[in-house]
Amino acid sequence: MEQLWSLMPTFFEGFRVTLLLLAVAGVLSLILGTLIAAMRISPVAALRGFAAFWTEIARNTPLTLVFIFTMYVLPMLGVRLPFIILALVALTYYTSPFVAEALRSGINGVPVGQAEAARSIGLGFGQTVSLVVLPQAFRMTIPPLINVFIALTKNTSVAGGFFVLELFGTTRQLANDNGNIVIQILITAAVLYLVITVPLGFLAGRLERRWVVQR
């Protein structure tokens, strides 16, 4: 136990990087996914086509392959960025279509009359989407959005295989260096992941009860 306790500062550093990846990639994915969802319902055919193409390609590409491209191919093309920034690019690219699809399901659940009423009082497409449609869509898609972020928490572990010492990468390094307490190290890592995912699950339930649209 004393040996495990001495490793906790290293664990917490990896945990901090995992939280950083989750927070930044989560916010960027939410912003990008919202834009993509809005483009999917745009009256401009080119925007709808681009959003559909982005969603299908990004959602059906393995995350490991996305990391290989960002970590190896982009530097070969002259993109010189810290590995953690490249990891954020990969996670945001991969997560944004799942956010977009969750929001699109919520948008489809908003009664058509809401948008028609907004247009009848002179609101344009952008105002209708941002002021009328999206607020209701967000409230209806809280559980699936939280599930996307829970999946993102686990997906940050892929960064551990690509030069980013987040929680998974730190755990692997500590396990290699302390073979006599591997089980304790793995259990500690699992508990730290649960520290993130379990509260997110409780948050989803609480927000759903508080904000869900009554039908």
Side-chain angles (χ1 to χ4, degrees):
M1 182 61 69
E2 183 178 347
Q3 183 180 357
L4 180 64
W5 185 253
S6 68
L7 301 177
M8 293 310 294
T10 307
F11 262 122
F12 287 133
E13 177 59 24
F15 184 66
R16 183 190 68 81
V17 176
T18 292
L19 288 178
L20 176 65
L21 291 172
L22 172 62
V24 177
V27 171
L28 294 177
S29 299
L30 186 61
I31 295 171
L32 184 56
T34 301
L35 291 175
I36 294 171
M39 291 167 65
R40 290 294 297 269
I41 61 170
S42 169
V44 181
L47 292 179
R48 293 198 305 272
F50 173 80
F53 176 80
W54 175 286
T55 299
E56 291 305 313
I57 295 298
R59 192 171 54 166
N60 292 292
T61 303
L63 179 57
T64 302
L65 187 59
V66 174
F67 265 91
I68 290 174
F69 180 84
T70 55
M71 294 296 188
Y72 295 107
V73 178
L74 287 184
M76 291 173 60
L77 297 176
V79 179
R80 305 293 179 181
L81 293 172
F83 288 126
I84 192 168
I85 300 298
L86 294 174
L88 288 171
V89 171
L91 290 170
T92 300
Y93 170 80
Y94 183 79
T95 308
S96 60
F98 293 96
V99 173
E101 286 300 283
L103 283 176
R104 191 163 72 96
S105 68
I107 290 172
N108 291 335
V110 177
V112 178
Q114 297 278 337
E116 293 176 346
R119 287 193 294 268
S120 70
I121 62 174
L123 296 182
F125 172 78
Q127 292 174 310
T128 299
V129 170
S130 61
L131 299 177
V132 178
V133 177
L134 280 180
Q136 297 182 65
F138 272 111
R139 293 170 65 185
M140 285 191 287
T141 56
I142 288 171
L145 282 177
I146 295 293
N147 287 336
V148 169
F149 295 133
I150 290 175
L152 173 60
T153 302
K154 292 179 283 187
N155 287 340
T156 59
S157 63
V158 179
F162 294 90
F163 319 115
V164 179
L165 277 181
E166 42 65 73
L167 182 55
F168 172 76
T170 299
T171 301
R172 183 179 60 183
Q173 186 179 76
L174 291 177
N176 289 335
D177 295 340
N178 302 271
N180 59 317
I181 56 168
V182 170
I183 294 177
Q184 294 91 325
I185 288 173
L186 294 178
I187 291 174
T188 302
V191 169
L192 289 175
Y193 275 114
L194 290 174
V195 167
I196 302 174
T197 57
V198 171
L200 284 176
F202 282 118
L203 178 63
R206 183 176 180 84
L207 292 179
E208 184 180 17
R209 290 191 297 270
R210 182 175 181 180
W211 290 346
V212 71
V213 174
Q214 299 296 325
R215 298 180 135 183

